[in-house]
Amino acid sequence: MEKEKNAAKSLAAAGAATAFAGLALYAVGQVLSFLFRDVDPDRIEKADTEAIDDTEDTEE
């Protein structure tokens, strides 16, 4: 009986630790995505193209 209680507690603790680790990794991923959102090459190329287009319009 005591072994079954210990096994259930261990399983619950392992499940809680796994859930916490998963949420922590997700949160870290979201923070890193937010911090490095301007590093996306497609976004930088699009911004550069728009800047070039704007300067061409103003020169005329």
Side-chain angles (χ1 to χ4, degrees), residues 8-27:
K9 286 182 182 179
S10 296
L11 185 60
T18 302
F20 177 77
L23 288 174
L25 287 174
Y26 174 77

Side-chain angles (χ1 to χ4, degrees), residues 11-55:
L11 185 60
T18 302
F20 177 77
L23 288 174
L25 287 174
Y26 174 77
V28 167
Q30 292 296 313
V31 168
L32 290 175
S33 293
F34 177 76
L35 290 175
F36 295 106
R37 66 188 181 277
D38 292 333
V39 180
D40 184 17
D42 294 334
R43 184 178 291 173
I44 292 172
E45 288 178 13
K46 184 177 178 184
D48 290 343
T49 304
E50 289 175 356
I52 292 170
D53 291 342
D54 290 343
T55 56

